């Protein structure tokens, strides 16, 4: 007769649960003894019943086996700690390096703003002055480039206004009576803008030449 597979869950019936505990406890202790004899293994088993009764088996001394277990667990934990520290060490060094770099940048920033200069030597101040001169040269070059672009834009507007002015004057020369009041106002605006725009362009040109 094929034996059915026992479902692993708590046995609700108290009598059946106690009988199963007693039977399986004896079987477990017997297997532990057999394992110790057949394989020359140091085996220790500790069982507490549902009522708190102690049941145990040890192939040698239970106390010595427990102490051996504690030492083994401690050695295992100690052996894994250096591995964790070894992996964390590069990250720690990188964090320290980045923190030092940020501190250096903050110090350099304060010096460029003219702060915390009391500890600077003559050589340090000269180096800082050269850095500022290079920065000013770059800023001036960028400003000059922007002025030149602005002058080119103004010159282009000037050419457009001159062309529009020429067209309106030609229309006025051919037939003065066909020019409406709106066209006359446009001529006046173009001439005014043209007369105002030229000195600005000349001023920008003189500034660049200086």
């Amino acid at each position: 007769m094929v034996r059915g597979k026992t479902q692993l869950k708590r046995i609700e019936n108290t009598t059946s649960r106690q009988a199963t505990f007693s039977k399986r406890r004896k079987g477990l202790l017997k297997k532990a003894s057999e394992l110790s004899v057949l394989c020359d293994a140091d085996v220790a088993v500790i069982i507490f019943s549902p009522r708190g009764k102690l049941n145990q088996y040890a192939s040698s001394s239970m106390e010595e086996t427990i102490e051996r277990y504690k030492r083994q667990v401690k050695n295992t934990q100690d052996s894994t700690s250096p591995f964790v520290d070894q992996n964390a060490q590069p990250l720690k060094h990188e964090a320290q390096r980045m923190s030092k770099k940020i501190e250096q940048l903050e110090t350099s920033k304060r010096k460029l703003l003219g702060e915390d200069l009391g500890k600077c030597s003559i050589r340090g101040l000269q180096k800082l002055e050269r850095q500022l001169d290079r920065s000013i040269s770059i800023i001036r070059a960028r400003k000059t480039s922007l002025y030149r672009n602005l002058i080119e834009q103004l010159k282009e507007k000037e050419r457009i206004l001159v062309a529009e002015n020429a067209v309106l004057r030609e229309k006025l020369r051919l037939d003065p009576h066909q020019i409406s009041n709106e066209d006359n106002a446009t001529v006046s605006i173009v001439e005014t803008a043209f007369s105002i725009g030229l000195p600005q362009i000349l001023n920008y040109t003189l500034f660049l030449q200086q």
Side-chain angles (χ1 to χ4, degrees):
M1 182 176 178
V2 180
R3 194 174 186 180
K5 185 177 181 180
T6 303
Q7 187 177 5
L8 291 179
K9 67 177 184 177
R10 184 177 183 273
I11 300 174
E12 298 298 334
N13 185 275
T14 304
T15 304
S16 299
R17 186 167 63 249
Q18 291 177 349
T20 302
F21 172 78
S22 178
K23 180 179 179 181
R24 294 193 175 237
R25 178 200 60 193
K26 292 179 181 179
L28 177 61
L29 297 178
K30 181 180 178 182
K31 291 293 183 182
S33 176
E34 292 174 353
L35 179 64
S36 174
V37 174
L38 294 174
C39 302
D40 193 21
D42 191 4
V43 180
V45 179
I46 299 175
I47 304 172
F48 287 97
S49 69
R51 294 182 179 179
K53 183 179 178 181
L54 172 64
N55 298 271
Q56 64 179 354
Y57 166 82
S59 58
S60 59
S61 171
M62 177 64 74
E63 291 76 8
E64 291 180 359
T65 304
I66 293 176
E67 289 298 326
R68 182 181 177 185
Y69 168 76
K70 290 180 179 180
R71 290 194 301 270
Q72 183 68 28
V73 171
K74 185 177 184 302
N75 293 335
T76 302
Q77 293 176 347
D78 293 342
S79 63
T80 57
S81 296
F83 178 75
V84 175
D85 294 341
Q86 184 177 2
N87 289 339
Q89 200 67 21
L91 296 177
K92 184 178 180 180
H93 288 322
E94 181 66 16
Q96 292 176 349
R97 188 184 69 83
M98 294 299 296
S99 178
K100 186 176 181 180
K101 184 67 175 178
I102 292 173
E103 184 178 355
Q104 291 175 350
L105 291 174
E106 289 291 337
T107 302
S108 178
K109 176 184 175 182
R110 288 194 297 270
K111 289 181 179 180
L112 289 173
L113 293 175
E115 302 174 358
D116 297 340
L117 299 178
K119 297 181 180 180
C120 290
S121 62
I122 296 296
R123 181 175 298 179
L125 291 174
Q126 290 174 345
K127 181 180 179 181
L128 182 62
E129 186 178 12
R130 288 193 296 269
Q131 291 177 347
L132 291 172
D133 288 339
R134 286 194 296 269
S135 299
I136 291 174
S137 298
I138 295 173
I139 293 171
R140 285 176 176 172
R142 176 57 179 165
K143 185 174 67 173
T144 301
S145 176
L146 291 176
Y147 276 135
R148 286 176 178 172
N149 292 335
L150 180 59
I151 290 174
E152 291 298 326
Q153 294 175 4
L154 292 173
K155 287 181 177 180
E156 182 63 25
K157 290 181 179 180
E158 176 193 0
R159 287 191 289 268
I160 294 173
L161 292 174
V162 170
E164 292 178 353
N165 216 5
V167 171
L168 293 173
R169 290 182 182 277
E170 182 64 20
K171 291 169 65 176
L172 183 61
R173 185 182 65 82
L174 294 177
D175 192 355
H177 300 289
Q178 292 183 359
I179 302 299
S180 62
N181 293 332
E182 182 179 354
D183 292 333
N184 288 329
T186 304
V187 173
S188 176
I189 293 172
V190 171
E191 289 178 346
T192 303
F194 178 69
S195 63
I196 295 175
L198 278 177
Q200 293 178 352
I201 297 172
L202 292 176
N203 288 338
Y204 283 123
T205 305
L206 290 175
F207 172 81
L208 293 176
Q209 291 176 353
Q210 291 175 356

